[in-house]
Amino acid sequence: MENKILIIDDDIDLCYLLKNYLMLENYNVTICNDGPSGLKETTSNTYQLIILDIMLPNMNGFEVLTNIRKTSSVPILMLTAKDSEVDKVSGLRLGADDYLTKPFLQNEFIARVQSLIRRYTIFNAKHGEEETLSFKGLVINRQLRLVNVNGDAIKLTAKEFDLLLFLASNKGQVFTKEQIYNHVWQEEYSYDDSNIMSFISKLRRKIKNTELDLDYVQTIHGVGYRFNLGV
């Protein structure tokens, strides 16, 4: 699997220096230069590590960290120019995995990155499935049973969440109403098409991405439904 890393830092020179370090280790690197754009990027794509500075324009690193932790357990390495125990404790309590004070050596930086990604990869392998499913603008957290569209929390009923998770976990695969009913309701299908169609209709309205003009759940006429293969 390709390891993707997101750097959220407004120091342009440092960002490209770190990007060069990481590309030498064959990592795929994306850069965002302020808090809001960095947070939005985390809801649109899946990363194996986020490198996050505390001092950011428009939204500080602690705020970005808090919002990420609502939906994801992705490793987060905090960067700061301050050698402050208060900052370190605050970041760790909010969910940061490690802390690095600027300036730092290239070897130390790469060692921290490799350690965090290695631990995260092993953890996910042991659990057999990722805690979060991330698509264009949509994030689904299995354990917390949370759904976000473009960073906004979406309120779903328990059954709506189960339906979305089932379809999203089988992206692109078409299911008949009977198959959906058997998997989600785990009961014998009673040919109550109107019940399933009502659930799917409500779910589609709630999670429709108007900003990107996306329907995540698609109707395949004469067959059934599938989760959008293009996201």
Side-chain angles (χ1 to χ4, degrees), residues 21-35:
Y21 289 166
L22 294 167
M23 289 179 66
L24 289 173
E25 302 294 329
N26 296 316
Y27 291 113
N28 184 324
V29 182
T30 299
I31 294 173
C32 291
N33 297 125
D34 64 29

Side-chain angles (χ1 to χ4, degrees), residues 3-222:
N3 285 317
K4 296 172 62 179
I5 296 177
L6 174 64
I7 300 174
I8 308 175
D9 197 321
D10 66 336
D11 185 335
I12 305 297
D13 292 336
L14 177 62
C15 283
Y16 283 97
L17 178 64
L18 298 184
K19 183 174 182 177
N20 288 335
Y21 289 166
L22 294 167
M23 289 179 66
L24 289 173
E25 302 294 329
N26 296 316
Y27 291 113
N28 184 324
V29 182
T30 299
I31 294 173
C32 291
N33 297 125
D34 64 29
S37 64
L39 183 59
K40 185 174 182 180
E41 180 66 25
T42 67
T43 66
S44 303
N45 293 284
T46 301
Y47 291 93
Q48 280 66 56
L49 175 67
I50 295 174
I51 299 169
L52 176 63
D53 196 3
I54 290 180
M55 303 302 291
L56 293 169
N58 304 316
M59 177 186 290
N60 67 46
F62 292 138
E63 293 175 284
V64 175
L65 171 61
T66 300
N67 279 280
I68 292 173
R69 281 292 174 254
K70 291 177 181 178
T71 61
S72 176
S73 62
V74 59
I76 297 177
L77 173 62
M78 300 290 290
L79 301 181
T80 181
K82 299 179 181 179
D83 189 9
S84 167
E85 287 299 318
V86 174
D87 282 340
K88 292 181 180 180
V89 171
S90 297
L92 294 171
R93 283 180 174 172
L94 289 172
D97 296 276
D98 202 354
Y99 223 101
L100 202 52
T101 302
K102 297 181 283 187
F104 44 80
L105 299 176
Q106 177 180 349
N107 289 342
E108 181 185 9
F109 169 70
I110 293 298
R112 300 283 186 100
V113 167
Q114 292 174 336
S115 175
L116 288 170
I117 290 180
R118 182 169 57 249
R119 279 158 40 194
Y120 185 59
T121 302
I122 292 172
F123 175 84
N124 280 335
K126 286 182 177 178
H127 285 73
E129 57 186 20
E130 293 186 4
E131 179 181 347
T132 59
L133 297 177
S134 298
F135 308 95
K136 290 181 182 178
L138 172 68
V139 177
I140 304 169
N141 187 301
R142 296 176 187 270
Q143 280 68 37
L144 299 180
R145 295 179 68 85
L146 296 174
V147 175
N148 279 260
V149 175
N150 296 327
D152 295 326
I154 306 298
K155 292 184 179 180
L156 299 181
T157 66
K159 200 58 70 178
E160 287 169 348
F161 181 87
D162 292 341
L163 174 59
L164 174 60
L165 181 61
F166 170 65
L167 293 174
S169 298
N170 298 278
K171 179 180 175 181
Q173 185 173 344
V174 181
F175 293 97
T176 65
K177 298 183 184 73
E178 180 176 358
Q179 289 173 318
I180 292 172
Y181 194 86
N182 289 338
H183 279 90
V184 177
W185 277 260
Q186 297 184 344
E187 298 174 1
E188 187 176 350
Y189 184 57
S190 59
Y191 298 99
D192 184 9
D193 286 358
S194 62
N195 182 41
I196 296 177
M197 291 171 67
S198 175
F199 265 90
I200 291 177
S201 178
K202 290 178 182 176
L203 175 62
R204 290 175 72 173
R205 286 199 303 270
K206 287 184 177 182
I207 66 171
K208 181 176 177 63
N209 193 324
T210 54
E211 183 176 320
L212 299 179
D213 192 25
L214 277 177
D215 280 314
Y216 294 104
V217 178
Q218 298 177 315
T219 301
I220 308 301
H221 295 290

